[in-house]
């Protein structure tokens, strides 16, 4: 990175500042945390510098900046004044700020200062809370000691236990003075973040910075957490919340909407040091946000992240569901919308998809209807491209569309078998491939849900062809789960048993035509109706699978029993298959 160095003074403290990029473009100031210097941004800055005037600096006590003696000079108001001094020195107008860890903590202090909007145009916060907000959050959780509140508070206390040691006067100095920390630090980041050591740039002053930076903890943690005085801000804020953060739990950011009038939030399946592990992701999200603030207009993917009220567990997520015009697909779409997701509803029956969208609209949700024949590869490819262009890359894909085929395999026609395979198996593989590629390229994780069936592991006469396609979906899903694990994309196979859906009344019976076909359909449909297991119950299991990242989900009691019989007593499963249920 071709940085241009300069110096900025704030009172008696000299701050080492570097600049790059387009001088006349909007200014983006990058603020690092502990134990880093401006080198934290060595992979992010070059991407931002293609469009912006990029500025970074070593905060006081780090790198080439001055390190005043004592703890008092490291109180948050002093750090906020440093940020304002840098902004005033490098640009005539307000600057956009992207900050990480303690850099984010001190920027929160700055944006909650009266008049901050005149100097800070926007703020991208990564892995760093406002300490007053955090202190208030902890007090509220412990003042209402429900099991959930206590669990959340204790989880954060456990994650922050290291800060107690960091505030001691002697122990941390001895600890950090005992080793040559650069190689140890690289190995630590590789272990917790999966980051290649070659991607981690540390300053020559790392050892000294680790000890110097402890004054941030001593000067601020106890006063702010024990005696919080939360302020608010009108500066546009984008929170990138890392759900795998070893130091900060995602729940601590749930109260931010109280204090930020213009807030966007994106939860990411990433760890604490995102600037090292996913620099392109930060650059992309920051660019999108900054350009939206500059232009006054957003994008579909950014608009979805706006926090305007209570958040469901799928808030900010885009879900795509095939076969959403009826049955399990419709109920899943409605349930996802109730939980905050924006939903793309596709179905070969466009009117059915539109009816689902109308039902979601009456709930105050957002949904879109598309026609789709999942057996048409070209149409599926065009659909995925259209969805990405119009709405963004989906976070959740539910490959639900399917058909039934019953009767003897010997009576089935080639056309029936091909259609069954094209829809039930190849359609699922196509949706997984096209949308999976988009998710991997975006790099923000996701979840793919594939509808299999209890038939995948409960062989029975009269359902051989159908069971074969669903067994294929099950094994495809388990294999794909392993393939995509490194990209933080979960894959779930949902295996319902006897569920009352439209697929039952439209199932073809091989070898039957006319009145006989209709009689057999009606008989099976009546049996499924008597069973009384409705699609909304399956939808609830699908939602749980996404939230809990479940691999295989047998749905209905008979499916759960069948799954275990097939695994542990396969001979019994084969004997039971001789009884015809259709």
């Amino acid at each position: 990175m071709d940085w241009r160095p300069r110096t900025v003074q704030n009172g008696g403290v000299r701050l080492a500042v570097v600049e790059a990029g387009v001088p006349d473009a909007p200014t983006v100031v990058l603020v690092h945390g502990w134990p880093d210097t401006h080198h934290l941004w060595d992979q992010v800055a070059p991407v931002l510098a293609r469009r912006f005037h990029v500025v970074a600096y070593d905060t006081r006590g780090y790198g080439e900046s001055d390190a005043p003696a004592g703890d008092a000079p490291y109180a948050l108001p002093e750090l906020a004044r440093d940020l304002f001094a840098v902004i005033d020195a490098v640009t005539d107008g307000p600057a956009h700020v992207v900050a990480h860890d303690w850099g984010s903590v001190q920027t929160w202090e700055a944006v909650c200062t009266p008049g901050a909007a005149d100097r800070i145009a926007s703020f991208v916060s990564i892995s760093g809370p406002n300490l007053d907000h955090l202190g208030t959050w902890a007090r509220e959780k412990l003042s209402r000691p429900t099991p959930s509140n206590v669990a959340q508070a204790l989880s954060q206390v456990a994650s922050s236990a290291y800060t107690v040691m960091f505030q001691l006067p002697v122990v941390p100095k001895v600890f950090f003075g005992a080793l040559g920390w650069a190689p140890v630090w690289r190995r630590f980041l590789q272990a917790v973040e999966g980051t290649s050591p070659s991607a981690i740039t540390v300053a020559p002053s790392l050892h000294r910075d680790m000890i110097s930076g402890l004054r941030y903890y001593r000067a601020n943690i106890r006063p702010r957490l024990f005696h919080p005085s939360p302020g608010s801000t009108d500066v546009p804020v984008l929170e990138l919340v890392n759900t795998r953060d070893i130091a900060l739990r995602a729940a601590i950011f749930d109260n931010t909407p109280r204090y930020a009038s213009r807030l966007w939030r994106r939860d990411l399946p990433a760890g604490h040091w995102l600037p090292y592990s996913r620099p392109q992701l930060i650059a992309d999200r920051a660019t999108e946000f900054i350009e939206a603030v500059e232009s006054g207009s957003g994008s579909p993917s950014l608009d979805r992240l706006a926090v305007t009220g209570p958040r469901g567990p799928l808030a900010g997520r885009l879900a795509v569901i095939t076969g959403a015009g009826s049955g399990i697909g419709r109920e899943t779409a409605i349930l996802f919308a109730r939980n905050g997701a924006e939903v793309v509803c596709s179905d070969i029956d466009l009117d059915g998809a539109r009816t689902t969208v109308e039902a979601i609209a009456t709930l105050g949700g957002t949904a879109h209807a598309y026609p789709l024949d999942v057996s048409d590869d070209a149409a599926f490819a065009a659909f995925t491209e259209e969805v990405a262009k119009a709405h963004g890359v989906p976070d959740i894909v539910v490959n639900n569309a399917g058909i039934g085929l019953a009767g003897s395999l010997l009576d089935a026609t080639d056309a029936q078998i091909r259609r069954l395979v094209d829809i039930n198996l190849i359609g699922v593989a196509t949706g997984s491939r096209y949308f999976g590629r988009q998710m991997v390229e975006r790099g923000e994780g996701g979840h793919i849900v594939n509808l299999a069936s209890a038939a995948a592991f409960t062989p029975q006469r009269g359902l051989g062809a159908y069971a074969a396609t669903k067994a294929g979906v099950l094994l495809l899903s388990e294999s794909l789960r392993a393939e995509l694990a490194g990209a933080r994309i979960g894959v779930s196979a949902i295996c319902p048993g006897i569920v009352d859906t439209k697929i039952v009344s439209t199932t073809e019976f091989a070898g039957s035509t006319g009145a006989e076909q209709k009689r057999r359909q009606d008989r099976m449909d009546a049996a499924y109706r008597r069973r009384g297991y409705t699609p909304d119950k399956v939808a609830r299991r699908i939602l749980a699978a996404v939230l809990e990242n479940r691999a295989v989900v047998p749905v209905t009691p008979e499916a759960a029993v069948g799954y275990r019989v097939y695994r542990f007593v396969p001979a019994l499963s084969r004997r039971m298959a001789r009884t015809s249920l259709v």
Side-chain angles (χ1 to χ4, degrees):
M1 182 71 183
D2 186 18
W3 289 112
R4 301 184 296 273
R6 64 181 295 178
T7 300
V8 171
Q9 292 283 145
N10 178 32
V13 177
R14 181 186 60 84
L15 301 170
V17 179
V18 291
E19 298 178 81
V22 186
D24 296 330
T27 297
V28 180
V29 178
L30 307 174
V31 192
H32 68 84
W34 183 92
D36 307 297
T37 64
H38 74 274
H39 289 294
L40 172 75
W41 304 105
D42 278 358
Q43 296 181 74
V44 178
V47 183
L48 293 176
R50 298 169 193 163
R51 301 191 185 190
F52 305 111
H53 171 218
V54 178
V55 177
Y57 68 103
D58 295 341
T59 62
R60 61 172 63 194
Y62 290 94
E64 298 180 17
S65 291
D66 287 347
D71 295 340
Y74 299 88
L76 285 172
E78 295 295 333
L79 302 177
R81 282 190 279 272
D82 285 349
L83 174 58
F84 287 135
V86 171
I87 292 173
D88 292 344
V90 300
T91 182
D92 293 331
H96 303 273
V97 180
V98 180
H100 175 258
D101 191 75
W102 272 100
S104 180
V105 173
Q106 60 194 274
T107 304
W108 270 115
E109 179 75 12
V111 299
C112 290
T113 300
D118 295 332
R119 298 155 91 179
I120 299 179
S122 74
F123 172 30
V124 179
S125 170
I126 309 167
S127 292
N130 180 299
L131 292 186
D132 292 297
H133 300 171
L134 176 57
T136 302
W137 174 88
R139 281 169 167 256
E140 291 176 350
K141 292 295 180 183
L142 294 175
S143 68
R144 297 192 298 270
T146 65
S148 174
N149 286 348
V150 172
Q152 289 181 355
L154 291 180
S155 177
Q156 182 54 53
V157 168
S159 297
S160 302
Y162 69 95
T163 65
V164 176
M165 189 268 281
F166 279 16
Q167 295 174 71
L168 298 175
V170 177
V171 175
K173 293 182 181 179
V174 173
F175 177 75
F176 289 114
L179 297 170
W181 273 92
V184 174
W185 188 245
R186 286 191 175 94
R187 286 196 293 271
F188 169 75
L189 292 179
Q190 182 182 21
V192 300
E193 302 289 335
T195 307
S196 169
S198 62
I200 301 169
T201 306
V202 298
S205 57
L206 174 66
H207 194 181
R208 182 178 73 248
D209 294 339
M210 283 181 157
I211 298 173
S212 177
L214 297 175
R215 291 177 287 199
Y216 283 57
Y217 293 86
R218 294 197 297 268
N220 298 292
I221 293 289
R222 282 176 291 176
R224 295 306 180 100
L225 295 188
F226 294 159
H227 306 286
S229 179
S232 59
T233 183
D234 293 324
V235 172
V237 178
L238 170 63
E239 280 189 324
L240 299 183
V241 177
N242 299 319
T243 59
R244 297 172 182 263
D245 197 315
I246 63 171
L248 300 167
R249 292 292 175 257
I252 69 172
F253 299 99
D254 289 347
N255 284 352
T256 306
R258 294 186 193 175
Y259 311 109
S261 62
R262 303 170 65 190
L263 176 66
W264 290 255
R265 172 172 166 167
R266 176 63 173 174
D267 289 10
L268 301 166
H272 186 79
W273 276 273
L274 201 64
Y276 286 139
S277 64
R278 304 309 303 273
Q280 185 67 49
L281 187 157
I282 291 178
D284 290 345
R285 281 295 182 181
T287 297
E288 179 185 42
F289 186 59
I290 292 166
E291 290 184 341
V293 171
E294 287 285 323
S295 66
S297 61
S299 63
S301 58
L302 184 60
D303 292 345
R304 197 161 43 247
L305 303 183
V307 180
T308 57
R311 288 170 55 87
L314 299 183
R317 300 289 202 274
L318 176 66
V320 175
I321 302 175
T322 66
S326 63
I328 294 171
R330 172 173 290 172
E331 295 299 330
T332 301
I334 292 172
L335 183 61
F336 277 18
R338 286 184 186 275
N339 283 271
E342 180 177 342
V343 187
V344 172
C345 302
S346 69
D347 202 288
I348 196 169
D349 174 13
L350 181 57
D351 288 339
R354 286 172 173 162
T355 300
T356 302
V357 168
E358 291 169 1
I360 290 172
T362 62
L363 302 173
T366 302
H368 318 274
Y370 286 85
L372 177 65
D373 178 354
V374 298
S375 67
D376 186 335
D377 184 81
F380 215 142
F383 169 68
T384 57
E385 292 176 2
E386 186 175 359
V387 168
K389 183 177 180 180
H391 311 290
V393 175
D395 302 287
I396 305 167
V397 173
V398 181
N399 291 303
N400 164 73
I403 62 172
L405 178 64
S408 171
L409 178 66
L410 304 184
D411 292 332
T413 66
D414 289 347
Q416 286 175 321
I417 295 295
R418 288 196 180 97
R419 181 168 178 265
L420 184 72
V421 172
D422 284 347
I423 294 174
N424 286 10
L425 180 56
I426 296 179
V428 169
T430 301
S432 298
R433 287 187 299 122
Y434 285 136
F435 283 121
R437 289 168 186 163
Q438 290 181 356
M439 291 178 179
V440 169
E441 183 177 358
R442 181 186 60 176
E444 298 182 21
H447 205 97
I448 296 173
V449 176
N450 294 329
L451 267 291
S453 167
F457 44 75
T458 52
Q460 54 192 278
R461 58 185 297 185
L463 285 178
Y466 176 79
T469 62
K470 294 303 184 178
V473 169
L474 175 59
L475 266 294
L476 180 149
S477 300
E478 294 214 67
S479 300
L480 188 62
R481 182 180 176 89
E483 183 177 331
L484 298 180
R488 305 298 191 192
I489 299 170
V491 181
S492 298
I494 309 298
C495 303
I498 299 173
V499 180
D500 181 18
T501 68
K502 183 181 177 181
I503 192 175
V504 177
S505 60
T506 58
T507 293
E508 291 187 4
F509 283 78
S512 298
T513 59
E516 175 63 14
Q517 178 85 253
K518 185 66 168 59
R519 185 185 64 80
R520 298 183 74 177
Q521 288 175 336
D522 290 345
R523 186 175 64 183
M524 186 166 71
D525 188 36
Y528 275 54
R529 286 182 183 278
R530 286 194 299 272
R531 170 68 174 82
Y533 202 99
T534 51
D536 59 298
K537 297 178 182 178
V538 182
R540 290 197 289 271
R541 298 296 298 276
I542 292 173
L543 175 62
V546 172
L547 296 178
E548 300 168 11
N549 191 20
R550 299 283 303 277
V552 179
V553 183
V555 181
T556 70
E558 65 273 13
V561 171
Y563 186 51
R564 286 158 179 78
V565 169
Y566 187 70
R567 290 178 65 189
F568 301 115
V569 197
L572 176 60
S573 183
R574 288 191 290 271
R575 180 172 293 278
M576 292 168 61
R578 299 176 185 178
T579 301
S580 176
L581 300 180
V582 297

